[in-house]
Structure formats: structure tokens, C-alpha cells
Amino acid sequence: MKKKILVAISGGIAVYKVAQLVSNLSKKYEIQVIMTKHARAFMSPLTFEALTGRAVPKAMFTPDVHYDQISHIHLAKWADIIIIAPATANLIAKMAHGLADDLLSTTMLATRSPILLCPAMNTNMLNHQATVANLELLQNRGIHILESERGLLACGDFGSGKLPEVSIIQETAEKLLEINQKQDLTGLEITVTAGPTQEALDPVRFITNHSSGIMGYSIAEAAQARGATVNLISGPTNITAPPGVSLIKVISARDMFDAVQSVFSETDILIKAAAVADYRPTETFRNKIKKQEGDLQVKFVRNPDILAWAGEHKQAHQVLCGFAMETEDLLDNAKAKLQKKNCDMLVANSLRDEGAGFGATTNVATLLWPNQEPKALTLMSKKDLSELILDELLKIKKVK
Ligand code: C5P
């Protein structure tokens, strides 16, 4: 079956190049074009209809379109990948802030397909702090941005902002299509723990940490997309579990331990991205602790170390991946943890690195293995880091 590409066009002069792109892609793929009102002012939809053999829907709710086939929701799900070219400053700003006021921007908000965004505009507009910040936001959310080229622009200025050559856009899109189709984790059961734990002190108070769960959820989503059967064991977070994963919600470290034990024997790869509380209050009071004169002393006991337990009990074929967040001596502490917990790989990140840590959509990580030099990675989105972590774990699984 032919792969499906949605080509979304916003209003810039570079649209003339996109006709060639659509012509090339139509020979190999199923192509649907959508255009903003301003894109139509630059080029007639008829050009694209002739090249693709498909109608270019005019607006979101018009009687001339077969609604079921080309509604924003249908298109958002239909596409294997989406190419936005040219992407104007206005469209980029709308996407960065979640605005959806026409067919194209609504489809971008509704889709979960990979997006290749190709900005093209005047240099000053591209370099404006607003556009720079918006592009960074989109990149951090996992949208692939194809950098524009430098040259003489249609407006007469010289600088960056040119839409890259059609061959470059096509090559990048095809790479993305390939990654998206990767089903290399089929047949594997992957268990991911994510988020914080909450340790109750009394019926209204608990001890927790700042973990958002983004890293673990992102790994679960990537593993599921690559064909794995995924168990996501999650402490309390504000994020929605990716469709298709089996979600086990837990509150405390002991709940998480029970959940991990319940799926451990079927698990091929265990990824422990959760920030598990090391201690819990010795006593959980049945009633709310009342304010009294003087200080309050709370005693804590150790929680079970789930990863260490898995390290002790793992079978030869099972792969264990731990996470370590440190505020000092990152490498030494991470190496010690890797060994102590009998992990096959450890993902270490320092809270001190810019772009890393709680709540961020990016991370700066170092990967460690028992018999290999550590690999320091650059700043990247948690989505890209998830793919990389899975690539490395699959390599280990293959030799086991
Ligand atoms: O807390 P620590 O730095 O030791 O965490 C390192 C790794 O161990 C993480 O992967 C974390 O999920 C796991 N861990 C665990 N059970 C605990 C504490 C940590 O599984 N009680």
C-alpha cells in the first residue's frame, strides 16, 4: 500500500517550488494537499488537484467537500507524515500557541503524525525573537524543522529564509517516513515506569517530587509506535497515556513495586524512568495531623528499591534500563548506580544542565553501560531521546 503524505501549504512565494515537490512525491506516494486562503492567492489549487488527482478542500465546513473524507480529523489521522511547506511566520506562531481557525491549522492541532516543517520567509521575520522562540517551542514538541537556506530572497533582501531545494525536502520527508514505519520492537513486551510517587503522611498530606512523567510517557509512546506491547506504570501525572498502551496507575512506591512485580515475568525490557521516593513516612496517620505547639518530627523508612529488585531477579534475556538524576558528580554516581542495581543501561541526567530535568520537553543525557564507554548526548527533545534509548536497548536485547 502506498504511504500517505499530507502536504500543507501556507501563503508564501515559495509555493511555486512546492508544485514540483508535489509532482515528484505523487509518483511514489498518495498525496493530499491542503492550502490556506493566502496560499491560494499565490497559486491555484487546480495545479495541485491536477498533480495529485485529489480535490484540495476549500474550507473546514463547506458543502462542496465530502466531509467524512477530508475533514480536519480525517486528514489528521490519514497522513503517515505531514510536510508543511512553505511554513509562514504566521502559521508557525499559530501552531506554537495552539490556534486553530482554518482547515490547515486545525488539522495540525488534531494530528499525531510526524510533521516536517519547512519555514520560508523574509530574513528579519525569521530572525525575529518571536519566530525564533516559536520554532524552538515546536522543535521541543517533536516537530522536525528543516532549516531554511541563505540566498537572495524574493523581497530583494539577502539572508536566510529561502525554502530548501525540493530534493532536500523530499529526502528529509522520506527519512521521516522510514522512521515512522519502523516496527522493530514488534513481539517485545516493554514496561515503562513514569512520573513521581506520593507517600502519604496523613489523609491530606503527602511527600512527592517534581517529576512530570514526560520522559516515561514519551518512551512508552515511541515504543508503542514501533510495535512493542507496552505497560506504562505511572505515578500521579497530568498527562494522558498514549493510546494503545496498557496503563497501570499507582500512587506510592510500594504500589509501583507491586505493579512492576505483576508484569515482570512477561517483560522483555524494563525502563525505569519514574522518580520513586526513596523514603516514606514511618507512619501514615489515620487522621489529619493537628497543629500543635513546637516542632513536628516525622520519621521516614526506606522504600523498596524496585530497580535493584529487578536487577536481582532478572532472567538472562531481560534488559534493564535505569535512570539517574543527579545534582553533583553525575558520572561517578551514575556508574555506581548502574553497577549496584545490575542494569544493562543507565540514562543519567544532571539537574544542573540547561534544558534538562523536571517538566522540560528537552533533556541532556549521558548513556552508560557496564562494559562500554559512556556516551554524552547533546540537548534534544525527550521524543528524540526516547527513540535513541529504544535503539540502544534493542541492540542489547539482540545480543541477549
Ligand atoms: O533514586 P535513584 O537515583 O536510586 O533512582 C535511580 C533509578 O532507580 C531510577 O531508574 C528509579 O526509577 C529507580 N528506583 C527504583 N526504586 C526506588 C528508587 C529508585 O526503582 N525506590
Side-chain angles (χ1 to χ4, degrees), residues 272 274 276-278 304-307 322-323 337 341:
K272 284 236 65 215
V276 186
D278 292 323
D305 191 318
I306 309 167
L307 187 57
F323 273 69
K337 245 171 232 181
K341 304 198 186 199

PDB file of all heavy atoms in Angstrom, residues 272 274 276-278 304-307 322-323 337 341, ligand 1:
ATOM      1  N   LYS A 272      12.995   2.117  33.742  1.00  0.00           N
ATOM      2  CA  LYS A 272      12.524   2.716  34.990  1.00  0.00           C
ATOM      3  C   LYS A 272      12.761   4.223  35.006  1.00  0.00           C
ATOM      4  O   LYS A 272      13.704   4.735  35.583  1.00  0.00           O
ATOM      5  CB  LYS A 272      13.229   2.051  36.171  1.00  0.00           C
ATOM      6  CG  LYS A 272      12.680   0.657  36.471  1.00  0.00           C
ATOM      7  CD  LYS A 272      12.191   0.506  37.911  1.00  0.00           C
ATOM      8  CE  LYS A 272      11.019   1.374  38.217  1.00  0.00           C
ATOM      9  NZ  LYS A 272      10.862   1.947  39.470  1.00  0.00           N
ATOM     10  N   ALA A 274      10.661   6.372  36.259  1.00  0.00           N
ATOM     11  CA  ALA A 274       9.943   7.025  37.367  1.00  0.00           C
ATOM     12  C   ALA A 274      10.913   7.580  38.405  1.00  0.00           C
ATOM     13  O   ALA A 274      12.007   7.055  38.596  1.00  0.00           O
ATOM     14  CB  ALA A 274       9.005   6.023  38.035  1.00  0.00           C
ATOM     15  N   VAL A 276      11.100   7.537  41.867  1.00  0.00           N
ATOM     16  CA  VAL A 276      10.487   6.830  43.002  1.00  0.00           C
ATOM     17  C   VAL A 276      11.011   7.417  44.313  1.00  0.00           C
ATOM     18  O   VAL A 276      12.214   7.636  44.455  1.00  0.00           O
ATOM     19  CB  VAL A 276      10.858   5.319  42.951  1.00  0.00           C
ATOM     20  CG1 VAL A 276      10.118   4.547  44.026  1.00  0.00           C
ATOM     21  CG2 VAL A 276      10.576   4.744  41.575  1.00  0.00           C
ATOM     22  N   ALA A 277      10.103   7.643  45.245  1.00  0.00           N
ATOM     23  CA  ALA A 277      10.539   8.165  46.548  1.00  0.00           C
ATOM     24  C   ALA A 277      11.382   7.107  47.256  1.00  0.00           C
ATOM     25  O   ALA A 277      10.975   5.946  47.344  1.00  0.00           O
ATOM     26  CB  ALA A 277       9.324   8.513  47.398  1.00  0.00           C
ATOM     27  N   ASP A 278      12.546   7.526  47.733  1.00  0.00           N
ATOM     28  CA  ASP A 278      13.406   6.563  48.427  1.00  0.00           C
ATOM     29  C   ASP A 278      12.886   6.255  49.828  1.00  0.00           C
ATOM     30  O   ASP A 278      13.136   5.191  50.373  1.00  0.00           O
ATOM     31  CB  ASP A 278      14.830   7.122  48.523  1.00  0.00           C
ATOM     32  CG  ASP A 278      15.468   7.205  47.148  1.00  0.00           C
ATOM     33  OD1 ASP A 278      15.219   6.292  46.338  1.00  0.00           O
ATOM     34  OD2 ASP A 278      16.186   8.185  46.874  1.00  0.00           O
ATOM     35  N   PRO A 304      11.101   0.112  49.162  1.00  0.00           N
ATOM     36  CA  PRO A 304      11.824  -0.914  48.394  1.00  0.00           C
ATOM     37  C   PRO A 304      12.451  -0.273  47.169  1.00  0.00           C
ATOM     38  O   PRO A 304      11.849   0.629  46.570  1.00  0.00           O
ATOM     39  CB  PRO A 304      10.720  -1.893  47.985  1.00  0.00           C
ATOM     40  CG  PRO A 304       9.435  -1.134  48.129  1.00  0.00           C
ATOM     41  CD  PRO A 304       9.659  -0.113  49.204  1.00  0.00           C
ATOM     42  N   ASP A 305      13.663  -0.688  46.815  1.00  0.00           N
ATOM     43  CA  ASP A 305      14.276  -0.201  45.568  1.00  0.00           C
ATOM     44  C   ASP A 305      13.842  -1.159  44.453  1.00  0.00           C
ATOM     45  O   ASP A 305      14.326  -2.284  44.355  1.00  0.00           O
ATOM     46  CB  ASP A 305      15.798  -0.129  45.699  1.00  0.00           C
ATOM     47  CG  ASP A 305      16.413   0.618  44.517  1.00  0.00           C
ATOM     48  OD1 ASP A 305      15.957   0.381  43.366  1.00  0.00           O
ATOM     49  OD2 ASP A 305      17.312   1.441  44.726  1.00  0.00           O
ATOM     50  N   ILE A 306      12.924  -0.698  43.630  1.00  0.00           N
ATOM     51  CA  ILE A 306      12.291  -1.563  42.629  1.00  0.00           C
ATOM     52  C   ILE A 306      13.312  -2.017  41.583  1.00  0.00           C
ATOM     53  O   ILE A 306      13.360  -3.183  41.193  1.00  0.00           O
ATOM     54  CB  ILE A 306      11.120  -0.817  41.944  1.00  0.00           C
ATOM     55  CG1 ILE A 306      10.184  -0.230  43.017  1.00  0.00           C
ATOM     56  CG2 ILE A 306      10.358  -1.736  40.998  1.00  0.00           C
ATOM     57  CD1 ILE A 306       9.180   0.777  42.497  1.00  0.00           C
ATOM     58  N   LEU A 307      14.126  -1.066  41.156  1.00  0.00           N
ATOM     59  CA  LEU A 307      15.111  -1.389  40.118  1.00  0.00           C
ATOM     60  C   LEU A 307      16.140  -2.396  40.644  1.00  0.00           C
ATOM     61  O   LEU A 307      16.515  -3.337  39.931  1.00  0.00           O
ATOM     62  CB  LEU A 307      15.794  -0.097  39.647  1.00  0.00           C
ATOM     63  CG  LEU A 307      16.722  -0.200  38.454  1.00  0.00           C
ATOM     64  CD1 LEU A 307      16.010  -0.776  37.241  1.00  0.00           C
ATOM     65  CD2 LEU A 307      17.312   1.164  38.106  1.00  0.00           C
ATOM     66  N   GLY A 322      17.873   1.806  33.797  1.00  0.00           N
ATOM     67  CA  GLY A 322      17.557   2.715  34.902  1.00  0.00           C
ATOM     68  C   GLY A 322      17.782   4.153  34.485  1.00  0.00           C
ATOM     69  O   GLY A 322      18.382   4.441  33.440  1.00  0.00           O
ATOM     70  N   PHE A 323      17.284   5.059  35.304  1.00  0.00           N
ATOM     71  CA  PHE A 323      17.518   6.484  35.096  1.00  0.00           C
ATOM     72  C   PHE A 323      18.187   7.030  36.350  1.00  0.00           C
ATOM     73  O   PHE A 323      17.946   6.520  37.439  1.00  0.00           O
ATOM     74  CB  PHE A 323      16.189   7.229  34.890  1.00  0.00           C
ATOM     75  CG  PHE A 323      15.751   7.232  33.458  1.00  0.00           C
ATOM     76  CD1 PHE A 323      15.336   6.065  32.842  1.00  0.00           C
ATOM     77  CD2 PHE A 323      15.768   8.409  32.720  1.00  0.00           C
ATOM     78  CE1 PHE A 323      14.944   6.062  31.518  1.00  0.00           C
ATOM     79  CE2 PHE A 323      15.373   8.418  31.397  1.00  0.00           C
ATOM     80  CZ  PHE A 323      14.958   7.250  30.789  1.00  0.00           C
ATOM     81  N   LYS A 337      25.476   3.506  40.374  1.00  0.00           N
ATOM     82  CA  LYS A 337      24.087   3.029  40.324  1.00  0.00           C
ATOM     83  C   LYS A 337      23.918   1.892  39.312  1.00  0.00           C
ATOM     84  O   LYS A 337      23.241   0.904  39.566  1.00  0.00           O
ATOM     85  CB  LYS A 337      23.173   4.179  39.916  1.00  0.00           C
ATOM     86  CG  LYS A 337      22.223   4.557  41.007  1.00  0.00           C
ATOM     87  CD  LYS A 337      21.478   5.812  40.701  1.00  0.00           C
ATOM     88  CE  LYS A 337      21.627   6.742  41.881  1.00  0.00           C
ATOM     89  NZ  LYS A 337      20.931   7.988  41.715  1.00  0.00           N
ATOM     90  N   LYS A 341      22.721  -1.649  40.820  1.00  0.00           N
ATOM     91  CA  LYS A 341      21.368  -2.125  40.502  1.00  0.00           C
ATOM     92  C   LYS A 341      21.368  -3.150  39.368  1.00  0.00           C
ATOM     93  O   LYS A 341      20.317  -3.532  38.872  1.00  0.00           O
ATOM     94  CB  LYS A 341      20.475  -0.935  40.163  1.00  0.00           C
ATOM     95  CG  LYS A 341      20.428   0.109  41.283  1.00  0.00           C
ATOM     96  CD  LYS A 341      19.270   1.046  41.164  1.00  0.00           C
ATOM     97  CE  LYS A 341      19.355   2.134  42.216  1.00  0.00           C
ATOM     98  NZ  LYS A 341      18.085   2.819  42.452  1.00  0.00           N
TER      99      LYS A 341
HETATM  100  O1  C5P B   1      16.538   7.140  43.265  1.00  0.00           O
HETATM  101  P1  C5P B   1      17.699   6.644  42.406  1.00  0.00           P
HETATM  102  O2  C5P B   1      18.582   7.763  41.975  1.00  0.00           O
HETATM  103  O3  C5P B   1      18.417   5.485  43.013  1.00  0.00           O
HETATM  104  O4  C5P B   1      16.980   6.142  41.072  1.00  0.00           O
HETATM  105  C1  C5P B   1      17.695   5.518  40.062  1.00  0.00           C
HETATM  106  C2  C5P B   1      16.836   4.531  39.360  1.00  0.00           C
HETATM  107  O5  C5P B   1      16.272   3.609  40.303  1.00  0.00           O
HETATM  108  C3  C5P B   1      15.650   5.088  38.597  1.00  0.00           C
HETATM  109  O6  C5P B   1      15.554   4.332  37.404  1.00  0.00           O
HETATM  110  C4  C5P B   1      14.475   4.840  39.514  1.00  0.00           C
HETATM  111  O7  C5P B   1      13.275   4.674  38.811  1.00  0.00           O
HETATM  112  C5  C5P B   1      14.886   3.576  40.221  1.00  0.00           C
HETATM  113  N1  C5P B   1      14.358   3.478  41.597  1.00  0.00           N
HETATM  114  C6  C5P B   1      13.528   2.437  41.904  1.00  0.00           C
HETATM  115  N2  C5P B   1      13.045   2.292  43.194  1.00  0.00           N
HETATM  116  C7  C5P B   1      13.391   3.177  44.145  1.00  0.00           C
HETATM  117  C8  C5P B   1      14.258   4.243  43.844  1.00  0.00           C
HETATM  118  C9  C5P B   1      14.716   4.366  42.560  1.00  0.00           C
HETATM  119  O8  C5P B   1      13.191   1.632  41.039  1.00  0.00           O
HETATM  120  N3  C5P B   1      12.918   3.023  45.375  1.00  0.00           N
END
